[in-house]
Amino acid sequence: MSPSVPPSTPSAPAATTPAHAVSPTSAELLDFVRRTAADPDLIASLPLDPEGRTWVRLQGPGGSEAWLIGWPPGTGTGWHDHAESVGAFLTAAGTLKEHSLAARLPTDGWKTLELSEGVDRERELATGQGRAFGRNHVHEVLNESTTEHAVSVHAYYPPLPQIRRYSRTGEVLRLESVERPEDWQ
């Protein structure tokens, strides 16, 4: 990802991880994104572009990777996963839709999979709503509004080692590419 916003990074609320935790859990990441999204000054500081998504990196809890993301009307991520990272995201403004798969996919050694019936999930996440997810969670996130921007907060642990991108035709999911952090610079 190459940011389309100025390189300055606004401050997020102080990140806290319980002393007993070696790394943040998805529940702790969800708590972080919830607290961060409740900061109206931070949310308002994100420049919004009418053409493409904008983002600013934030300091996440316990060494996690966190992002504030702006979504113009009609934009989305396409199908992807976050590899071995657990994560959470929450809509801070507007409404986002998530399509996901309720199936654990093999992590390596495949290019095409035929999905079983009943694995599709869909949730609408209005302002203040979010979700946590585990490793290898395959989903796509969309702003289906034709007029309104959406803003969301995301956190991942460990910091994203890679993102696998997929295409989908009916019940067939195809691995298209694997991105690594150096691809986003």
Side-chain angles (χ1 to χ4, degrees):
M1 298 195 286
S2 58
S4 55
V5 295
S8 62
T9 302
S11 298
T16 58
T17 301
H20 69 278
V22 174
S23 59
T25 65
S26 57
E28 290 165 335
L29 294 175
L30 182 59
D31 181 60
F32 168 79
V33 298
R34 185 172 285 120
R35 287 183 289 111
T36 303
D39 180 345
D41 293 334
L42 177 64
I43 302 310
S45 74
L46 180 65
L48 300 177
D49 183 322
E51 304 279 324
R53 289 189 301 152
T54 54
W55 50 86
V56 173
R57 188 162 186 172
L58 305 173
Q59 183 175 347
S64 64
E65 181 171 345
W67 297 91
L68 177 63
I69 301 176
W71 305 75
T75 58
T77 61
W79 286 94
H80 67 284
D81 71 17
H82 305 102
E84 294 298 315
S85 297
V86 298
F89 72 99
L90 186 127
T91 305
T95 300
L96 292 172
K97 183 169 280 185
E98 179 195 37
H99 297 135
S100 63
L101 300 177
R104 185 152 182 99
L105 303 181
T107 56
D108 292 309
W110 65 277
K111 290 292 260 179
T112 303
L113 286 176
E114 187 168 341
L115 301 170
S116 302
E117 285 186 37
V119 299
D120 288 297
R121 300 292 182 267
E122 180 179 295
R123 47 173 68 81
E124 189 170 280
L125 301 164
T127 300
Q129 295 179 318
R131 73 176 317 266
F133 53 86
R135 289 169 168 70
N136 305 304
H137 175 70
V138 178
H139 69 165
E140 70 173 343
V141 180
L142 310 159
N143 176 4
E144 294 185 327
S145 172
T146 58
T147 59
E148 301 295 322
H149 266 81
V151 176
S152 57
V153 181
H154 302 245
Y156 311 97
Y157 189 86
L160 296 173
Q162 64 184 14
I163 292 178
R164 291 180 287 241
R165 299 228 174 249
Y166 305 96
S167 62
R168 178 151 182 207
T169 305
E171 300 303 315
V172 176
L173 188 70
R174 177 181 304 279
L175 177 63
E176 296 292 343
S177 65
V178 177
E179 298 174 3
R180 291 182 171 68
E182 57 270 19
D183 299 328
W184 310 322
Q185 303 304 324

